Amino acid sequence: MATDRLSITLALLGLVATAPPATVAAAAAAGVPGSAAAEHSQPFTVQDLVRLERISEIAASPDGRRVAYTLRTTDMEANKGRTGIWLADTSTRTLRGTPVRRLTDLEANSNSAEWSADGRFIYYLSNRSGTTQVWRVTPGTGASIDAPGADALQVTNLPLDVGSFRVSPKGDRILVSVEVYLDCADLACTKQRLDAAAMSKASGVLHQELFVRHWDTWSDGRRAQLFAMSLDDVARGTPMNLSGGIGDVPSKPFGGREDYAISPDGTQVAFSVRAAAGEPWSTNFDIYVVAAGGGTPRNLTADNPAWDGQPAFSPDGSQLAYLAMDRPGFESDRFHLVLLNLKSGVKHPLTQNWDRSIASFAWVGDGKTLFATTDHLGQRPLWAIDAATGRAAAITGTGEVEAFSVGARKVFYAFSNLGSPADLYAVGFGGGAAKQLTHVNQAALARRKFGDYEQFNFAGWNNENVFGYVVKPPDFKRGQKYPVAFLVHGGPEGSFANSWNWRWNAQAFAGAGYGVVMIDFHGSTGYGQAFTDSIGGDWGGKPFEDLKLGLAAALEQYPWLDGDHVCALGGSYGGYMMNWIAGHDGIFDNRTMYYSTEELWFTEWENGGPEYRNPAAYAKHNPVDYVSKWKTPTLVIHGQLDYRVPDSQGLAVFTALQRQGIPSELLYFPNENHWVLKPADSIQWYDTVLAWMNRWIHQ
């Protein structure tokens, strides 16, 4: 097979051709999409991908009869997504199945639905007033049926955007997160300061501590804080800061209302926060509790210097469940579930002996069970966990549960797999047959062909069992050979798995005529913590061996894959692996990467400390010392707003390629971050990548 076919890079991404095939093959486990591809007219494309609707943020009503969810549609003309709140009524059936309808107006973006405890109202965030505020709608009869959002009531009217919120179970209080200057006495002060900065002719910003920038945003000195307000029909009174300036609540850049909770009696608020001092090199989040009416927050987890998050009161208010890691500084440590008795203060590590890392969880109404999601052998099922023993049992099958909400007798969840984007499903607490409630993309999917897919396993590094997936082109013909798109996931503690990926979509590559191969190499999640831990200090070792052995196993087991025409693609750590394959090394320059990225804890954990204390570890796998070995044609892709892997890394890769006369191109997005998100940019990304692949793969 060829060893110098193609390279494609995204983020810190450099890339290369595949290594020679190794020796082992493996047994396969089947996973096949539901529809018959032969009945459809055209293969799936990126044009289809960006136009599909996306379900998220599920919220079951207290009686479990109705489910609110966020649905994102694509406005191609405006080049952005638009979100609205929809309602599925599971208590009635029509000839078309479960009736669904939109609750919010068509012009504004609305999301984050939450039911009132009595089921009368749905609260949500919307920008229909010009800023993002909390609104309320009655999900019954009335104007909302014929004119979605017509009878909505604006609940908050703050001078700043509301980032997230929760309504007290008693209905008398609302919590809102707002970004403020901590030295301001009120929200109006922050607004005035922002307005003054916008009008100033001087543009410089003086920074006195890290983070100066995070993910895709430069710091302006504000902190996300949790405020409480009284609530009747609307929020009233002066917002009271409950989080006390300790740090950001929710955490940045991706935290949400899972970072805080209100007790069932409405008197206490628990929140997770990392102290502001030293946060770029710390993963020490703690759980605090404070009176809902205000007071001094009290640290409940000061004994654990690692991450404690996602606090959730038990239905009777006697316990606080939360997720905990054990090792400080390691963001990919195993999250296990802890139950804290709020009266005695005794902590019970409920799932300490279960070798899976919990991503999200929720209580059942009787307090005897918790539901949770975890990565598991290339899937992400929903689990029922016994609150007394910690025993866990999966209640969903192969595929990925992307989000869920617990109802009175069923769990409602968004479910996807490699063959289909997410729809809304319901399943009983004990598992069994699931019921599909929505078919949001049915018409679009029915017009397209999709490739069948399979999970397979093989003997990887040290002869240990490793899993992967292959996806066939939708026009697959027996006896024909197909070029290979070899996708390498990021993280590195992550997984492509049996899920619908909006950024690295296997069906989009399959639809372009490629056989897709994906390997969950050592370091991937869902195979036990030791498997994840094994990548530490060995980014270019075990994963590289797994990728070589996995590709060889796929080529041997699936002879329709053309081993002489292989292209490797990767983003983030996948891009690191592209540079590693190209020159047998890693990120373009580990040293400058350390000093320019933002979340220092990540690279410090992986390399045994800061670069200035352990320079040998950073030099061990450093492509800047090996660029003379590069020869593979490479497409480099980078976003200017990528502060996780700064664009200087991608520019350096392109410079190294160009200076040596290696065929190469640079696709640069001035308005994208570590991901490519805008619809038109996503189309351009795929078009450019596929054009590059087609140019070189068929030579």
Side-chain angles (χ1 to χ4, degrees):
M1 81 186 218
T3 57
D4 293 298
R5 284 291 176 190
L6 175 62
S7 299
I8 301 182
T9 63
L10 175 59
L12 83 82
L13 323 181
L15 200 161
V16 359
T18 54
T23 56
V24 285
V32 183
S35 56
E39 298 176 2
H40 307 311
S41 58
Q42 297 293 329
F44 185 75
T45 70
V46 65
Q47 295 284 346
D48 303 311
L49 177 68
V50 300
R51 289 171 168 81
L52 293 179
E53 298 178 336
R54 310 182 190 185
I55 283 182
S56 62
E57 300 179 324
I58 301 166
S61 64
D63 63 7
R65 296 164 64 89
R66 295 169 293 177
V67 189
Y69 57 92
T70 299
L71 188 68
R72 178 194 182 276
T73 58
T74 303
D75 185 336
M76 294 300 296
E77 184 175 349
N79 195 28
K80 62 183 180 181
R82 296 188 180 277
T83 57
I85 306 295
W86 286 67
L87 186 72
D89 187 347
T90 67
S91 64
T92 59
R93 295 283 292 173
T94 69
L95 293 176
R96 295 185 177 182
T98 303
V100 299
R101 60 186 175 89
R102 183 172 180 135
L103 289 178
T104 57
D105 63 296
L106 303 177
E107 298 302 320
N109 280 328
S110 303
N111 54 68
S112 304
E114 180 176 307
W115 291 83
S116 62
D118 58 11
R120 294 175 57 205
F121 307 118
I122 293 177
Y123 295 86
Y124 61 97
L125 291 177
S126 177
N127 63 359
R128 64 184 289 180
S129 65
T131 61
T132 301
Q133 302 294 326
V134 181
W135 289 69
R136 189 189 80 185
V137 67
T138 304
T141 59
S144 63
I145 292 179
D146 298 321
D151 59 350
L153 174 70
Q154 186 172 343
V155 174
T156 63
N157 188 20
L158 302 176
L160 302 169
D161 287 335
V162 175
S164 64
F165 74 95
R166 281 196 187 275
V167 176
S168 170
K170 297 299 182 182
D172 61 346
R173 197 182 309 272
I174 186 171
L175 305 184
V176 294
S177 65
V178 182
E179 291 198 13
V180 298
Y181 293 109
L182 295 179
D183 59 345
C184 273
D186 54 29
L187 303 189
C189 165
T190 293
K191 179 66 164 60
Q192 292 165 3
R193 192 177 297 183
L194 290 172
D195 290 344
M199 296 295 293
S200 174
K201 293 182 179 180
S203 61
V205 178
L206 180 65
H207 297 279
Q208 297 176 314
E209 61 182 4
L210 297 175
F211 293 111
V212 297
R213 60 184 187 177
H214 201 177
W215 187 250
D216 61 1
T217 304
W218 282 84
S219 172
D220 62 4
R222 287 181 293 164
R223 289 283 181 181
Q225 295 292 284
L226 196 58
F227 293 87
M229 301 178 69
S230 61
L231 179 67
D232 42 43
D233 284 334
V234 297
R236 302 186 186 279
T238 300
M240 178 173 293
N241 190 331
L242 299 183
S243 48
I246 301 168
D248 287 304
V249 183
S251 63
K252 297 178 181 178
F254 302 123
R257 59 187 178 193
E258 70 278 1
D259 286 348
Y260 57 95
I262 310 175
S263 63
D265 63 4
T267 64
Q268 300 288 311
V269 173
F271 60 89
S272 173
V273 63
R274 174 177 53 200
E279 62 182 341
W281 48 88
S282 169
T283 60
N284 185 19
F285 287 80
D286 280 311
I287 306 292
Y288 286 77
V289 66
V290 64
T296 301
R298 179 168 56 95
N299 192 342
L300 300 179
T301 60
D303 57 323
N304 182 24
W307 199 324
D308 302 290
Q310 297 189 33
F313 290 93
S314 62
D316 64 2
S318 66
Q319 299 184 88
L320 184 72
Y322 62 93
L323 298 181
M325 291 181 176
D326 294 330
R327 289 174 285 181
F330 185 24
E331 69 171 1
S332 295
D333 197 9
R334 182 171 60 92
F335 264 131
H336 60 92
L337 193 59
V338 179
L339 300 184
L340 168 62
N341 186 304
L342 292 170
K343 184 176 181 180
S344 68
V346 174
K347 296 171 183 174
H348 174 45
L350 186 64
T351 62
Q352 182 68 279
N353 296 324
W354 186 33
D355 197 12
R356 290 293 179 267
S357 185
I358 296 175
S360 61
F361 75 94
W363 287 93
V364 175
D366 62 7
K368 297 180 180 180
T369 306
L370 301 103
F371 287 101
T373 58
T374 73
D375 288 345
H376 177 68
L377 303 180
Q379 320 292 333
R380 179 171 282 192
L382 182 66
W383 304 79
I385 302 174
D386 187 282
T389 66
R391 286 193 296 266
I395 65 169
T396 61
T398 57
E400 178 176 8
V401 173
E402 298 183 1
F404 72 95
S405 180
V406 181
R409 290 176 295 277
K410 295 181 178 180
V411 185
F412 302 91
Y413 59 99
F415 176 80
S416 70
N417 55 36
L418 277 166
S420 178
D423 263 304
L424 184 63
Y425 290 77
V427 68
F429 287 171
K435 178 182 178 182
Q436 185 171 350
L437 303 178
T438 65
H439 300 80
V440 296
N441 292 298
Q442 185 176 37
L445 298 178
R447 295 191 295 267
R448 294 293 179 257
K449 300 177 184 178
F450 292 85
D452 292 346
Y453 60 91
E454 275 188 12
Q455 187 178 35
F456 69 102
N457 63 299
F458 61 95
W461 174 85
N462 199 33
N463 209 37
E464 295 179 5
N465 197 29
V466 178
F467 287 84
Y469 279 95
V470 293
V471 184
K472 291 181 177 179
D475 285 325
F476 179 82
K477 294 179 177 61
R478 189 176 299 275
Q480 183 172 326
K481 290 274 191 176
Y482 294 91
V484 179
F486 190 32
L487 307 186
V488 180
H489 71 68
E493 293 92 353
S495 172
F496 270 145
N498 186 9
S499 62
W500 185 264
N501 194 309
W502 292 103
R503 294 184 297 279
W504 291 87
N505 189 272
Q507 292 290 348
F509 289 103
Y514 288 85
V516 181
V517 178
M518 302 176 289
I519 304 297
D520 269 357
F521 46 79
H522 276 77
S524 300
T525 53
Y527 304 93
Q529 193 58 41
F531 192 87
T532 302
D533 289 349
S534 67
I535 199 173
D538 194 31
W539 275 26
K542 301 178 191 71
F544 182 48
E545 291 302 312
D546 286 345
L547 290 169
K548 290 193 298 181
L549 295 170
L551 179 59
L555 293 175
E556 183 174 340
Q557 182 169 334
Y558 305 99
W560 50 268
L561 294 171
D562 186 351
D564 288 326
H565 297 86
V566 178
C567 166
L569 307 89
S572 198
Y573 173 82
Y576 170 99
M577 185 51 67
M578 298 306 102
N579 283 342
W580 168 262
I581 299 171
H584 277 210
D585 251 290
I587 295 174
F588 186 77
D589 190 344
N590 276 322
R591 297 162 299 190
T592 57
M593 172 70 180
Y594 171 77
Y595 291 105
S596 57
T597 191
E598 13 86 289
E599 293 184 349
L600 296 178
W601 66 75
F602 177 76
T603 187
E604 288 185 3
W605 178 271
E606 297 295 335
N607 293 285
E611 190 277 337
Y612 54 84
R613 291 181 182 169
N614 193 14
Y618 289 79
K620 180 181 178 182
H621 300 147
N622 210 13
V624 70
D625 297 325
Y626 296 87
V627 294
S628 62
K629 296 183 178 181
W630 291 10
K631 54 184 177 179
T632 305
T634 302
L635 169 64
V636 184
I637 306 176
H638 220 115
Q640 183 175 341
L641 304 182
D642 185 356
Y643 305 147
R644 180 63 41 83
V645 180
D647 59 0
S648 57
Q649 296 288 312
L651 292 171
V653 171
F654 187 57
T655 298
L657 293 162
Q658 288 277 299
R659 187 64 181 87
Q660 297 181 90
I662 299 171
S664 52
E665 294 178 354
L666 171 67
L667 176 60
Y668 190 73
F669 291 102
N671 297 309
E672 298 287 3
N673 56 33
H674 197 60
W675 303 328
V676 176
L677 301 177
K678 294 178 176 60
D681 288 346
S682 183
I683 292 172
Q684 185 181 15
W685 188 97
Y686 274 96
D687 286 348
T688 304
V689 167
L690 291 171
W692 181 261
M693 294 172 69
N694 293 335
R695 172 184 170 187
W696 291 101
I697 206 76
H698 299 299
Q699 289 189 1

